[in-house]
Structures are given as structure tokens and as C-alpha cells.
Amino acid sequence: MSDLTVSDQIDNVLHETRVIAPPEAFAAQARVSRERYDELYRRSLGDPDGFWADVAGELDWTTPWRQVLDWQPPHARWFVGAETNIAHNALDRNVARGLGDKRAIVWEGEDGEVRTFTYSQLLAEVKKAANALTALGVQAGDRVTLYMPLVPEAAIAMLACARVGAVHSVVFGGFSVSALADRLNDAQSKVLITADAGQRRGGLVNLKANADEAAKNAPTLEKMLVVCRANCDAPMQPGRDVWWRDALAAADAEHEAAALDSEHPLFILYTSGSTGKPKGVLHTTGGYMVGTYLTTQTVFDLRDDDVYWCTADVGWVTGHSYSVYGPLLNGATVVMYEGAPNHPDWGRFWDVIQKHRVTILYTAPTAIRSFMRQGDDLPGRYDLSSLRLLGSVGEPINPEAWMWYARVIGGNRCPVVDTWWQTETGAIMLTTLPGAHPSKPGSAGLPMFGVEPAIMTHAGTELGPDEGGLLVIKRPWPSMFRTVYGDDERYRRSYWEEIPGVYFAGDGARRDADGYVTVIGRVDDVLNVSGHRLGTMEIESALVAHPSVAEAAVVGRPDEVKGESVVAFVLPQVGYEVDPVALRAHVSREIGALARPDAILIADALPKTRSGKIMRRFLRQLAAGKEIQGDTSTLEDPGVLERLAATPFV
Ligand code: 6R9
């Protein structure tokens, strides 16, 4: 019998009103009860300094803070004057409190190989890697770029950087040569850590070859550390390239973590914005550490014996905060799986869960929808009874996918937490707490401690219950990013001046009378394809960089599995023919396969206003196959929409 209470109140098909109480057995033993949440949340807003000092006090600091928060809008400094080290807190601290023999990372390769690191073993590796970085000339503050498959060395490299105070910048292994080169240059990286290849869908992705290409256009790069993941036969450039295992073998085994200022930069992570150039989101040490520590512990209700699996690649922020830092800070056992969810078939995730007795699963709606399409049989063939909690992140989860996840994967026994946050926020901002709060499928839920959300108009007027508007955060929080690397002006403008005085998230949302926030999606020119952020401008600039394209406009189209897919309208260059196959390959090369347009329409004109602005609203309607709606009178060429509607996508 199910212990989920579903109050089926679908009084209006347009309105999801199911309310699902937390499973009783779970609620009875939850770390945070409803009352405790209310009390802590109230304190986190009423006495933020006291609240955050208490949380931070659970971690090690070599120098205490003078002040919890120094807020000079829009710049915040948290734990002012304090010194700490996040790698020390994730490793040495856990070994010191008796977790040395506990498994820290259980890694499974796509080929089925399993490697396990206890906290002591992980610490030993990180110490050697830190010494190896120092031997390569890396100093505190230097930027180190990672371009790696999801292997344990990726986490080890991140922690080693943190240990010496180097700023890591992880570039997703699926990104192209030029995307990598741009990021190396923007960060002015001194060292690149990569692998000879990564395994993906049974094949090999030649990361080292891409790294070599990118390095040709990255003048600041001095050294390349290369992990052997495949055949160890990558060509090595003498004087520049060093095999990871040689560097570690030569490194001293002892290493003391650097005492770093709380505001010392920890990492840069590039993400798409509404203009062409990806932004380097900069996070610092103390606040990020405290934020990821607390949210992992409370949102995932962490217990000593949990086996925790966040499926995100370390190339994304979810992989930073919830595959590496947050769970390791809490001394959890973290599962990492290198490969694709459908290799050798769509049962792979369930196989990983069964094999490693995973108790907490954190994944993305796009994955859930892909699994849903395969039906209930496949997961039914595996023993998923170890699971006790499920999480979702990356994009809005549609209620049907939520229900399927809870029923088929969670066996109606596991609460589902739908967590809203961003690269910029560093940690989970909105969610329900499992065991404390009922869930409303499709709605992320309530604010985490210290988070004060509001729904506003563009003019800054706060809206009431159920009114749609823009999601903002009204006060600083510890894990907030500190700036856009190298472009503080963009930090001010894009996030704090759009609606003066508050943090503008770029998402549209509404909040109901119970305070539950439902995030609807981006309101800017950012697409969310399979949970990954892509700027339309980024893809447009890649398209127009192709000789056959004179002009391009990119919009998103609702997609059953990916959430959104990329649709491109292109205007051919005079004297050229657009070859859709070549154009898709070109976008893959320029950005990465995830930006490749699903549909291309070769147009003779684009719908523009007389002032030359492309009216994307109409393109979105065309892309979705909808009737054109809205005022077309400002169009320069009124016939254009009809012609576009009559042209097939290729
Ligand atoms: C963590 C992460 C951030 C954007 C964000 C929003 C969307 C993420 C969501 C969600 C609705 C959720 N998003 N989680 N929308 N419900 N639970 O995904 O960071 O890659 O920076 O993307 O993703 O649109 O603004 P990031």
C-alpha cells in the first residue's frame, strides 16, 4: 500500500492543484520538521548574522570572522576577515572526525569499471595533486581550467586547486575547441587539466586533441596535465604536457591546505546570458562553502549511511555544488557515473542504483522525461528499494514527470524535492524540505534559509499571490556569486540594476498563497535545452560565422524531452546555398553538440520592425507550429510571416 497521500483536486486542467503530503515514515524521522523549518527560516531572516555564524561554526576556520556580512550593494562579503579552506573542510576535517575509512567517492565508468576512494584515500590523492600543481608553478589566485570526462580525477583536481587557492574553471567536456579557447582566454588560465579521452556511448571523445587545438589560441597557457582515461597514447608536447599519474607519482604525499581569505575566489564557471559572450560566474570560498554545506544536509536530509548520487557532470554548477563540494563537506558517500544514461540501454541509471544501493538520487527533468518515454517496465526490472529521496533540478519539472518520478522510481515511498537555483546562486534557493513540506508537483516550493524571494513587475512593484511576474531575491545570501569575472559592470547591470535593489534571476514565476513559488522559465534570451543554459545570441553568432549565413535568429521550441529545443531561422548569404547538415556540424564545432539546431528554416527575410529589431515572438510561434498572434503592424515587411509559415523546416 502506498503511504503517499494524494489529494486529487484537479478542479481546473490549467491549474495543477495536487498537493502531496510527505510520506509519513519519512516525515517521522526527517532532519528538519515543519516546525523546525519555520523556526530556522524565521531566525535566518530576523537574525541572519546569528543564523549563519551558527552554521559556519560547524566547519573549520583557521581565523575567525570579524563580521558575518558586509553588504555594500551589490557587493557582499561574507565571514569577513576569516580564513579557511574548503578542501580541508571536505577532506581533512572529515578524516579527523573519524570518517577516514568511509567511502567518499564510488565511481563507475561507462564501461562498468568501478573505483572507490575512502575519505583518507581521496585526501591522499588531493594532497599529491596539490603538490603537483605547485610544482607546475600554480600559485594561489592563478586560474586552472579543467576539461575532463566525469572521472574521479575531475573532483580531485577541483579539490587540489581549492587546496592551494588556485581558481578552477571547469569547461564541460562536450564543449568545442573554440568554446574552450574562449574560456581559457577569458580566465587567462595558466594550466589546463584534461584527459586523453572520455568515454561516451561506447565511443571515445578525444579531449586531448581538442585541448591541443584550443591551446594554440590560448597564449597564457603554460602547462597541460593529462589524465589517462583511455589508451594513454595521446601525443604530448615536451615541456608543456605532463601525465597526471607521473606528476602525482613525483609529488610529495604531505600537504597542508592553504589558509585562504573567506572571499578568496574558489571558481569561475561560464554560463550563458542574454548577450553573446558567456559570463564567468565567480564564486568565493567561505560563503559558498557554508551555503552548499547547509543545503546539501537539509534538502537531501543526509544521514551517515546514505549513498548519494547527483547525476550532473562537473561541467555544470550542479556538479560543483552537489556532486563534489556539498556532499563531501557533509562526509557523504558520493556516487559518480561517467557515461550516458542510455548506455548500453535506458536501464543504466537503475542498474547503477541497484548495484551501489543508492539512497538519494538527484537528476534533471529532461532525463526523467526520457526515462518516462521508455515506459515503466524497464525501471521495474531493477531493485530500486534502496532509494529514499529523489531530487530534480535544472528546469521546471512538469507535473506528469514529477508524478512518474515519484511513483515509478520512488515507489510512492520517496519524497521528491524540486530545487530551483542557478549557477549564480551557488546553492539551492527554493525547494520543499523532504519530510517537512507537502509537495505541489510543478512548483519548486519555499525559500531555503536566508533566502527572501519576491515576485515583481519590471518596475519593481511587488505582486501578490498567483500573479505572474519576475522572480527576484531581496537580500544577499552566502553562496551568491560575487561578480562576473573581469566584468563587474555586467554584474551590476544584468543582475542588480534590471530591477534596482534586488537580485534579478532572469526567470518568470508566480507564488501562491502558501508561499510556494512556481518557476515558469526564462524571460530573457536564454534557452534551457535539456537543463543546459544556452544564449540565443551565442548560437546566432556561431551561425553567422558560417560563410553561407548572412543573418540568423534563434528561438526555443517546447520539446517533450529536452524541455526546449533550438530552432534557427537563417538568411543565406547571397551566392551561397545553406546546407543544413553542414550548418549543424558547424554549430557543434563552434559551441558543442548541445547547441545544434533541431530545426532550421532557410528564410528569404526575417520579421523585423522598422527599427530593425527581430520580432522573436513571432518566430517562437512559427517554431512551435502555432498560428501567428499579436500585433504585426510594426513589421517592416508584413508579408514575411506568411512566407515563413509556408516554408518547411529542414
Ligand atoms: C542549477 C542550474 C539556471 C536556470 C534557472 C531556471 C532553470 C533550474 C529549476 C529551474 C524551474 C527548477 N531552473 N532549476 N526552473 N525549476 N527546479 O540549473 O543552474 O544551469 O545556471 O540554470 O535553470 O531557468 O534560471 P543553471
Side-chain angles (χ1 to χ4, degrees):
M1 204 184 77
S2 143
D3 54 1
L4 271 189
T5 333
V6 181
S7 60
D8 244 346
Q9 311 167 333
I10 316 175
D11 55 359
N12 175 343
V13 283
L14 294 175
H15 245 79
E16 177 61 43
T17 54
R18 277 176 283 201
V19 178
I20 296 168
E24 250 168 56
F26 195 101
Q29 50 79 64
R31 274 191 94 108
V32 184
S33 65
R34 174 85 219 202
E35 296 67 38
R36 184 82 180 130
Y37 166 83
D38 288 346
E39 177 193 324
L40 286 173
Y41 183 68
R42 218 172 305 123
R43 175 156 188 243
S44 74
L45 295 195
D47 172 24
D49 286 8
F51 176 87
W52 289 114
D54 282 357
V55 179
E58 295 178 20
L59 298 163
D60 288 348
W61 304 75
T62 42
T63 308
W65 48 91
R66 292 190 303 274
Q67 195 183 344
V68 172
L69 168 65
D70 173 26
W71 179 224
Q72 313 276 342
H75 294 114
R77 292 192 301 153
W78 284 88
F79 309 107
V80 183
E83 285 183 328
T84 188
N85 187 293
I86 192 170
H88 162 89
N89 272 292
L91 301 172
D92 313 57
R93 186 180 132 269
N94 284 322
V95 171
R97 64 186 185 110
L99 301 183
D101 293 335
K102 183 175 177 179
R103 293 176 306 164
I105 292 180
V106 178
W107 173 85
E108 181 169 322
E110 200 185 63
D111 53 5
E113 181 190 351
V114 174
R115 290 166 69 196
T116 301
F117 294 81
T118 64
Y119 272 88
S120 294
Q121 289 166 338
L122 189 61
L123 173 58
E125 288 299 296
V126 170
K127 283 182 172 175
K128 281 189 281 173
N131 283 324
L133 287 176
T134 307
L136 290 180
V138 173
Q139 292 176 348
D142 286 346
R143 274 79 58 213
V144 173
T145 295
L146 273 63
Y147 184 63
M148 295 181 82
L150 191 54
V151 289
E153 286 78 4
I156 294 167
M158 289 163 75
L159 290 159
C161 287
R163 204 167 172 89
V164 302
V167 185
H168 58 72
S169 162
V170 185
V171 177
F172 174 55
F175 275 128
S176 66
V177 170
S178 58
L180 174 61
D182 288 350
R183 286 158 176 77
L184 283 166
N185 288 323
D186 190 83
Q188 306 216 298
S189 280
K190 200 166 172 176
V191 171
L192 174 61
I193 308 180
T194 187
D196 57 347
Q199 295 201 354
R200 195 76 186 167
R201 295 208 172 87
L204 289 179
V205 183
N206 197 339
L207 295 169
K208 176 67 163 68
N210 285 358
D212 285 338
E213 273 308 301
K216 289 184 189 155
N217 298 312
T220 59
L221 202 64
E222 293 171 13
K223 298 281 178 190
M224 217 188 269
L225 253 182
V226 187
V227 172
C228 169
R229 167 66 193 116
N231 306 314
C232 320
D233 56 0
M236 301 289 274
Q237 184 177 307
R240 186 195 69 183
D241 300 353
V242 185
W243 286 106
W244 170 274
R245 61 168 174 222
D246 296 343
L248 263 67
D252 199 348
E254 261 327 300
H255 183 273
E256 198 164 327
L260 302 167
D261 190 276
S262 177
E263 284 302 327
H264 186 79
L266 174 64
F267 68 84
I268 300 168
L269 186 56
Y270 288 88
T271 189
S272 298
S274 36
T275 58
K277 201 171 152 247
K279 306 182 256 213
V281 168
L282 182 80
H283 281 284
T284 60
T285 303
Y288 176 82
M289 174 171 80
V290 171
T292 52
Y293 167 73
L294 178 69
T295 49
T296 310
Q297 185 178 93
T298 52
V299 177
F300 300 111
D301 188 63
L302 269 189
R303 308 269 150 182
D304 290 345
D305 55 356
D306 271 319
V307 177
Y308 166 98
W309 183 24
C310 163
T311 66
D313 188 276
V314 290
W316 314 109
V317 75
T318 306
H320 283 59
S321 301
Y322 298 108
S323 298
V324 179
Y325 289 114
L328 293 179
L329 283 166
N330 281 284
T333 295
V334 176
V335 170
M336 277 171 93
Y337 164 61
E338 175 188 37
N342 59 348
H343 189 84
D345 60 42
W346 284 103
R348 187 58 184 267
F349 273 24
W350 322 132
D351 187 58
V352 169
I353 290 168
Q354 171 178 282
K355 178 139 95 201
H356 302 290
R357 305 299 293 158
V358 171
T359 60
I360 300 171
L361 174 68
Y362 190 34
T363 194
T366 182
I368 298 165
R369 289 189 299 264
S370 305
F371 296 134
M372 236 173 120
R373 287 209 336 178
Q374 309 302 317
D376 301 3
D377 291 1
L378 201 51
R381 278 183 232 149
Y382 294 85
D383 177 7
L384 304 180
S385 64
S386 56
L387 286 172
R388 64 179 199 92
L389 174 60
L390 303 174
S392 171
V393 60
E395 55 177 312
I397 177 163
N398 44 308
E400 289 330 306
W402 195 106
M403 296 301 294
W404 185 87
Y405 195 29
R407 179 174 59 81
V408 178
I409 306 307
N412 283 343
R413 162 187 87 243
C414 307
V416 176
V417 290
D418 173 7
T419 61
W420 177 88
W421 60 292
Q422 307 177 296
T423 306
E424 293 87 339
T425 70
I428 294 167
M429 302 291 275
L430 301 172
T431 182
T432 50
L433 285 188
H437 301 125
S439 301
K440 302 186 185 187
S443 175
L446 297 163
M448 269 311 287
F449 307 117
V451 175
E452 194 184 356
I455 310 296
M456 287 187 171
T457 64
H458 212 259
T461 308
E462 209 166 324
L463 296 169
D466 296 325
E467 290 186 295
L470 305 173
L471 176 58
V472 305
I473 311 293
K474 289 167 77 176
R475 58 164 85 199
W477 62 99
S479 65
M480 66 192 266
F481 73 135
R482 300 300 195 259
T483 191
V484 173
Y485 187 69
D487 196 351
D488 195 56
E489 178 49 32
R490 190 163 173 198
Y491 169 75
R492 290 172 174 277
R493 216 181 38 241
S494 316
Y495 296 98
W496 295 93
E497 285 169 5
E498 194 73 31
I499 305 177
V502 296
Y503 170 78
F504 171 67
D507 280 330
R510 61 184 144 74
R511 184 159 58 166
D512 70 13
D514 300 329
Y516 279 55
V517 178
T518 297
V519 177
I520 293 144
R522 303 287 307 191
V523 295
D524 50 13
D525 292 325
V526 173
L527 306 184
N528 192 325
V529 178
S530 300
H532 303 314
R533 272 165 72 172
L534 291 169
T536 52
M537 293 266 284
E538 244 174 294
I539 308 173
E540 285 163 9
S541 22
L543 287 166
V544 296
H546 194 267
S548 69
V549 176
E551 227 183 319
V554 166
V555 296
R557 164 168 86 183
D559 182 282
E560 223 180 277
V561 171
K562 299 189 218 173
E564 247 180 329
S565 67
V566 177
V567 176
F569 293 80
V570 299
L571 207 67
Q573 186 71 256
V574 177
Y576 280 84
E577 238 177 76
V578 171
D579 169 5
V581 176
L583 202 54
R584 286 189 172 96
H586 168 80
V587 174
S588 281
R589 247 185 339 265
E590 290 287 309
I591 304 175
L594 52 98
R596 197 165 39 199
D598 261 21
I600 297 176
L601 190 146
I602 301 163
D604 68 345
L606 295 172
K608 289 185 182 172
T609 61
R610 284 185 195 92
S611 59
K613 215 170 170 334
I614 296 174
M615 300 189 77
R616 288 162 195 284
R617 164 157 64 93
F618 296 131
L619 295 179
R620 275 193 286 268
Q621 294 169 1
L622 285 166
K626 290 192 187 145
E627 290 281 314
I628 296 293
Q629 280 185 354
D631 182 9
T632 56
S633 65
T634 54
L635 283 175
E636 186 195 17
D637 167 6
V640 67
L641 293 177
E642 223 166 280
R643 295 201 303 281
L644 288 174
T647 313
F649 286 97
V650 288

